[in-house]
Amino acid sequence: MLDATTAHVNVLSVQSFPAVDQAAIDAAADRVDAWHERTGLPTLAADTGN
């Protein structure tokens, strides 16, 4: 879905609700970074937390 969407959007807006520990927060940030690297699109953290 991510690859198909890339041709039709200007930005990735993401919501992330990791567990409240540093490892989970770091993993969520790494995932968003990977999406940016894969698509070349800017990413917006529209909502985050728990």
Side-chain angles (χ1 to χ4, degrees):
M1 183 172 96
L2 187 61
D3 293 330
T5 303
T6 300
H8 305 284
V9 299
N10 296 323
V11 65
L12 297 176
S13 178
V14 298
Q15 293 179 291
S16 179
F17 301 95
V20 185
D21 67 71
Q22 195 61 50
I25 293 167
D26 290 345
D30 289 345
R31 191 167 28 259
V32 173
D33 286 343
W35 293 338
H36 167 70
E37 291 296 322
R38 182 173 175 171
T39 65
L41 295 172
T43 56
L44 169 68
D47 195 6
T48 189
N50 267 342

